[in-house]
Amino acid sequence: MTALDMLRTGTLNRSGLLRVVESPAPRGGGKDLGDAGPFAHTEACEEGLNVFETKKGDVIDVVMANSKALNGIEEQHSWHLHGHSFWIMKVGEAPFTEEALKHPAPHPPQKDTVSLLPGHFLWLRFRSDNKGVWPFHCHVLWHHVMGMEVLFVQK
């Protein structure tokens, strides 16, 4: 099953995250955005585990789609990544499609926190360049407590 199939069918893990990793040749010129390719290598973490291991220099693409919760309500989620900054490659109305990959933001802003609006998706990218265990979580406390968190572990 491809990454896009997973997004379309909702077979991602609890947090709605998937990981795309490749260690590309640098594009050059200062802060390198990297290129994870068109979802060249995709992993969704196991249900309930929410831990992704990375290697130094990996380019990590995270796609999140905000869909209705079990109670039928869509809420806004403020996502924060510790230990890294990410580029906001694309924001749009769900669903996330292959077309979105063709048109990333020409000058993506770099942040460590971003809001995911109801009925929308986010495509984020960061380079794994900081050794440690780094949480990526929703800043709404009770969402965090309910499991809206993953850990990126760079060895």
Side-chain angles (χ1 to χ4, degrees):
M1 178 177 286
T2 69
L4 290 171
D5 290 334
M6 292 169 69
L7 284 165
R8 287 187 190 112
T9 60
T11 55
L12 298 177
N13 66 8
R14 287 187 307 200
S15 301
L17 295 171
L18 71 108
R19 179 181 92 157
V20 183
V21 179
E22 187 177 312
S23 294
R27 285 188 189 168
K31 295 261 184 183
D32 178 30
L33 288 178
D35 181 7
F39 291 102
H41 173 79
T42 303
E43 288 182 31
C45 63
E46 295 177 32
E47 179 67 31
L49 187 58
N50 293 354
V51 176
F52 293 111
E53 290 186 8
T54 67
K55 296 179 296 206
K56 183 175 177 73
D58 281 347
V59 173
I60 312 298
D61 279 359
V62 178
V63 176
M64 297 183 289
N66 192 354
S67 57
K68 292 181 181 174
L70 295 175
N71 62 4
I73 297 173
E74 287 181 277
E75 298 184 51
Q76 182 170 319
H77 303 285
S78 181
W79 284 89
H80 174 65
L81 176 61
H82 292 254
H84 298 84
S85 294
F86 52 75
W87 290 277
I88 302 172
M89 302 301 288
K90 187 80 169 184
V91 177
E93 290 186 23
F96 182 81
T97 65
E98 234 172 292
E99 190 63 27
L101 291 174
K102 296 176 186 174
H103 305 287
H107 303 287
Q110 194 171 18
K111 307 272 186 181
D112 66 8
T113 303
V114 64
S115 288
L116 176 56
L117 300 173
H120 285 72
F121 71 84
L122 287 170
W123 169 18
L124 311 176
R125 173 175 289 170
F126 71 96
R127 183 175 294 280
S128 182
D129 59 3
N130 191 5
K131 192 174 184 177
V133 178
W134 302 110
F136 180 54
H137 61 87
C138 180
H139 251 247
V140 177
L141 182 58
W142 66 274
H143 292 174
H144 186 173
V145 170
M146 290 172 55
M148 293 185 90
E149 176 183 37
V150 298
L151 297 175
F152 290 103
V153 179
Q154 182 193 319
K155 295 182 176 183

